[in-house]
Amino acid sequence: MSQSHVAGGPDEAEKPEKEGGGRKAIIAAASANLAIAVTKALAWALTGASSMLAEAIHSVADTTNQVVLMVGGKAAHKKADEDHPFGYERARYLSGFIVAVVIFSVGGLFALYSSYQKISDTLAGKPEELLDSQWWWVPLVVTIISACAEGASLHTALKESKPDRDGMTILQYIRKAKAPELPVVMMEDAAAVLGLLFAFLGVGLTILTHNPIFDGIGSACIGVLLIVVAAILSREMKSLLEGESATPESRKAIHDALVGTDGVDSVIYMKTVHLGPDTILLAAKIAVDPGDSALEVARIIDNAEVAVRAAEPLVGPLFLEPDIRYGDRRIGEDEKRPEDQV
């Protein structure tokens, strides 16, 4: 009785690709992080401050992450093929998950290890390079300059995300965004600014009190911060990789388009999933009149496809199945249909 209709082909091929992806924010963050990594490493080489070493590794990890995001964005634009009929857009989600792993392992764990080494050396009574160095002021200057650069990068990311946030708070945007790049950059930059504050306090208190343990504590705070950020990012990216539905606004627009199509009595069920930030897969069962001919049903489905794509341009692969309702529910295979009843 039921027929399945698959939409795709020309409609999908002609679906415009969004540039998006926060490319400007990614490039700004990568440029800032690369320059900052070099200055932090220099500050560590001159003074031996563990906070500077932790921050230098943090910036190297962030620079690597920007490259990973750009590679993922490029891979996502590959055309669909026989092995990947729905395309490669989820490469962007995979890149975001890899970023979380890099932040956790390279950034967070190394910072904790550096903290452990510093505190152990301090308790063992080893000389403190920072206090004996004539360059003690360099880490303080580097953290201030780095904070300005990271702040500028964060401002660029916030500006890029403003059209998509639409009144949402930053945390709401990070939770609900389907494109991973801007939330990742925003969290990285926010963590970088806060991490630099920890580094400044650690080095500053070490200089003021002549107690190197504060430098180790600053490095530990950076490590904990990065692990928390990595945990949040991995959770969000895992959810996207598993397949999130379209937003409530998109689902409502699609539903209204279906029920507003002439010949569609109602929507029996509807399921959506994001194949990528810019592509929604839709599968729905729609109720039609039991007296409609096959030609009329085909026309109804074609019109419904057009209405859905007009209402939500992100819809890509589209599967509509016609069926009929009996009373308030769909007719089962073992039940009589109205035309069979006497």
Side-chain angles (χ1 to χ4, degrees):
M1 175 75 182
S2 296
Q3 300 177 12
S4 294
H5 187 90
V6 181
D11 285 340
E12 269 185 75
E14 293 170 7
K15 182 175 173 285
E17 290 182 353
K18 292 176 64 178
E19 179 63 24
R23 186 174 181 81
K24 184 177 179 182
I26 294 174
I27 293 174
S31 302
N33 284 323
L34 184 59
I36 291 170
V38 174
T39 56
K40 290 175 180 175
L42 180 61
W44 167 72
L46 291 173
T47 64
S50 66
S51 294
M52 284 293 95
L53 178 58
E55 275 297 306
I57 297 300
H58 177 190
S59 292
V60 170
D62 282 353
T63 305
T64 303
N65 289 339
Q66 313 315 321
V67 175
V68 170
L69 289 175
M70 286 190 282
V71 170
K74 185 176 181 180
H77 287 119
K78 291 171 62 177
K79 297 295 183 182
D81 52 39
E82 187 176 350
D83 292 329
H84 297 83
F86 294 127
Y88 292 82
E89 278 200 70
R90 285 194 178 178
R92 292 168 67 179
Y93 297 154
L94 180 59
S95 294
F97 189 81
I98 292 174
V99 163
V101 173
V102 171
I103 291 175
F104 176 81
S105 58
V106 179
L109 294 184
F110 184 87
L112 289 179
Y113 174 75
S114 177
S115 169
Y116 168 78
Q117 288 290 100
K118 175 63 70 171
I119 294 174
S120 297
D121 290 347
T122 300
L123 295 178
K126 292 184 179 181
E128 171 54 37
E129 295 179 60
L130 175 61
L131 297 176
D132 295 335
S133 173
Q134 60 177 323
W135 305 102
W136 58 267
W137 51 271
V138 171
L140 300 176
V141 174
V142 167
T143 53
I144 293 173
I145 295 175
S146 298
C148 292
E150 294 286 6
S153 177
L154 178 59
H155 179 265
T156 300
L158 292 173
K159 186 177 179 181
E160 286 275 291
S161 68
K162 191 173 183 180
D164 296 327
R165 280 190 280 138
D166 191 25
M168 290 187 287
T169 65
I170 302 300
L171 289 178
Q172 288 175 329
Y173 173 72
I174 290 172
R175 291 293 304 273
K176 295 182 179 181
K178 303 302 182 183
E181 291 85 359
L182 280 174
V184 168
V185 171
M186 288 164 62
M187 290 199 68
E188 280 187 344
D189 288 344
V193 172
L194 190 54
L196 286 164
L197 174 61
F198 292 150
F200 184 87
L201 291 174
V203 172
L205 287 173
T206 293
I207 294 171
L208 287 175
T209 64
H210 289 269
N211 187 348
I213 203 167
F214 287 109
D215 185 27
I217 293 174
S219 182
C221 290
I222 294 169
V224 172
L225 170 67
L226 293 180
I227 288 175
V228 170
V229 169
I232 295 173
L233 279 179
S234 62
R235 180 178 181 276
E236 296 304 317
M237 294 304 110
K238 175 177 175 289
S239 179
L240 289 170
L241 279 170
E242 289 172 336
E244 289 188 357
S245 66
T247 63
E249 295 78 12
S250 291
R251 296 200 301 269
K252 184 179 186 304
I254 293 169
H255 182 275
D256 291 347
L258 288 172
V259 297
T261 301
D262 185 32
V264 176
D265 293 337
S266 62
V267 176
I268 297 172
Y269 73 72
M270 184 182 83
K271 298 182 184 295
T272 62
V273 64
H274 267 271
L275 297 176
D278 305 328
T279 303
I280 296 171
L281 182 149
L282 168 65
K285 187 185 290 288
I286 56 176
V288 298
D289 193 294
D292 288 339
S293 67
L295 184 62
E296 290 171 329
V297 170
R299 176 187 57 79
I300 290 170
I301 292 178
D302 288 340
N303 291 340
E305 291 173 10
V306 173
V308 165
R309 295 188 191 283
E312 178 48 87
L314 292 184
V315 171
L318 193 164
F319 301 83
L320 296 180
E321 181 181 354
D323 209 332
I324 58 176
R325 283 184 182 274
Y326 180 52
D328 293 329
R329 57 194 174 88
R330 181 171 66 87
I331 295 176
E333 292 181 0
D334 59 343
E335 296 179 274
K336 290 185 178 181
R337 286 163 167 71
E339 62 270 25
D340 298 328
Q341 297 181 356
V342 179

